[in-house]
């Protein structure tokens, strides 16, 4: 693996990744997350997934850390990951120190977030998820898109795996999201 401070480019789908860490909010777990988790698990010796903003429950974080963990477990390979809650501290340097303590030594940290990369690039080799996920599995979806579609009553189910969709519906989480955060989500959508 390249030294900390470098942005890794994974050249082959068969290259072993060793100990891998990543942090995402997983609110909700969407098909992009699923492709990333499955691809990393297939190539890593160990995977530590951080559930970001685990201490937040608001319009951008409308599912609890426990709910995110359950959704992750429904993704192929997700149940084999070591999950850790990573709270939002509102302070980048403190967050960096906390992440280093929670994750320990890693061979690779995966993130698409430029700010997270800038915080951790002196501590871990960094890779963008697109360099690990096979090209044919790349999807243009993020959590904001899913939450907006849920709020509007659009086809959000196409943006998550069938098991995650069933989980969200069966537990009444879509209805709860719409009731508690639907209007605020649409208001955010209108301001952008």
């Amino acid at each position: 693996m390249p030294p900390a401070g470098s942005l890794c480019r994974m050249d082959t789908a068969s290259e072993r990744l060793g100990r891998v860490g990543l942090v995402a909010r997983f609110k909700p777990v969407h098909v992009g997350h699923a492709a990333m988790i499955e691809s990393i698990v297939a190539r890593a010796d160990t995977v530590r997934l951080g559930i970001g903003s685990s201490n937040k429950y608001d319009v951008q974080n409308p599912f609890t850390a426990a709910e995110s963990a359950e959704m992750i477990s429904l993704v192929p390979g997700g149940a084999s990951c070591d999950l850790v809650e990573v709270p939002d501290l509102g302070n980048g340097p403190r967050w960096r120190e906390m992440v280093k303590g929670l994750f320990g030594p890693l061979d690779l940290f995966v993130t698409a977030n430029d700010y997270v990369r800038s915080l951790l690039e002196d501590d871990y080799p960094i890779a963008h998820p697109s360099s690990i996920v096979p090209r044919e599995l790349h999807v243009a979806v993020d959590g904001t898109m899913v939450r907006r579609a849920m709020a509007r009553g659009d086809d959000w189910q196409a943006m998550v795996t069938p098991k995650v969709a069933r989980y969200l519906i069966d537990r009444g989480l879509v209805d709860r999201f719409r009731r508690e955060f639907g209007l605020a989500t649409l208001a955010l959508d209108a301001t952008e």
Side-chain angles (χ1 to χ4, degrees):
M1 281 293 136
S6 63
L7 187 61
C8 299
R9 288 280 168 222
M10 311 312 298
D11 294 325
T12 66
S14 62
E15 183 179 346
R16 294 301 299 165
L17 302 177
R19 295 172 311 233
V20 178
L22 69 96
V23 176
R25 289 184 303 132
F26 300 108
K27 301 187 183 183
V29 173
H30 54 69
V31 292
H33 288 137
M36 179 179 63
I37 292 168
E38 192 171 357
S39 297
I40 291 171
V41 166
R43 294 177 50 201
D45 297 327
T46 59
V47 179
R48 178 160 269 199
L49 293 182
I51 299 172
S53 299
S54 61
N55 58 329
K56 302 282 185 177
Y57 184 73
D58 56 28
V59 68
Q60 292 182 322
N61 301 284
F63 304 102
T64 67
E67 291 162 349
S68 293
E70 288 188 48
M71 287 184 259
I72 291 166
S73 75
L74 299 173
V75 171
S80 68
C81 297
D82 179 24
L83 300 181
V84 61
E85 292 186 17
V86 181
D88 182 340
L89 302 179
N91 178 305
R94 281 185 51 226
W95 186 87
R96 172 185 171 242
E97 291 304 317
M98 177 187 63
V99 167
K100 287 172 28 185
L102 290 170
F103 284 73
L106 296 173
D107 297 307
L108 189 65
F109 194 91
V110 178
T111 184
N113 184 302
D114 290 336
Y115 182 60
V116 169
R117 185 189 77 239
S118 73
L119 289 172
L120 297 174
E121 65 189 356
D122 291 335
D123 304 303
Y124 301 120
I126 306 289
H128 192 282
S130 66
S131 69
I132 295 170
V133 177
R135 188 69 151 159
E136 64 273 10
L137 298 178
H138 285 201
V139 290
V141 65
D142 62 37
T144 300
M145 293 166 60
V146 180
R147 292 188 302 273
R148 286 176 178 165
M150 277 185 186
R152 288 190 305 263
D154 290 346
D155 185 20
W156 61 270
Q157 293 178 16
M159 295 182 230
V160 300
T161 67
K163 287 183 179 180
V164 169
R166 181 72 9 228
Y167 171 83
L168 291 166
I169 292 166
D170 288 351
R171 285 162 181 75
L173 299 179
V174 176
D175 292 335
R176 184 189 76 192
F177 165 76
R178 286 184 183 142
R179 187 174 57 254
E180 294 180 10
F181 302 112
L183 291 177
T185 299
L186 295 174
L188 286 174
D189 198 19
T191 63
E192 294 179 353

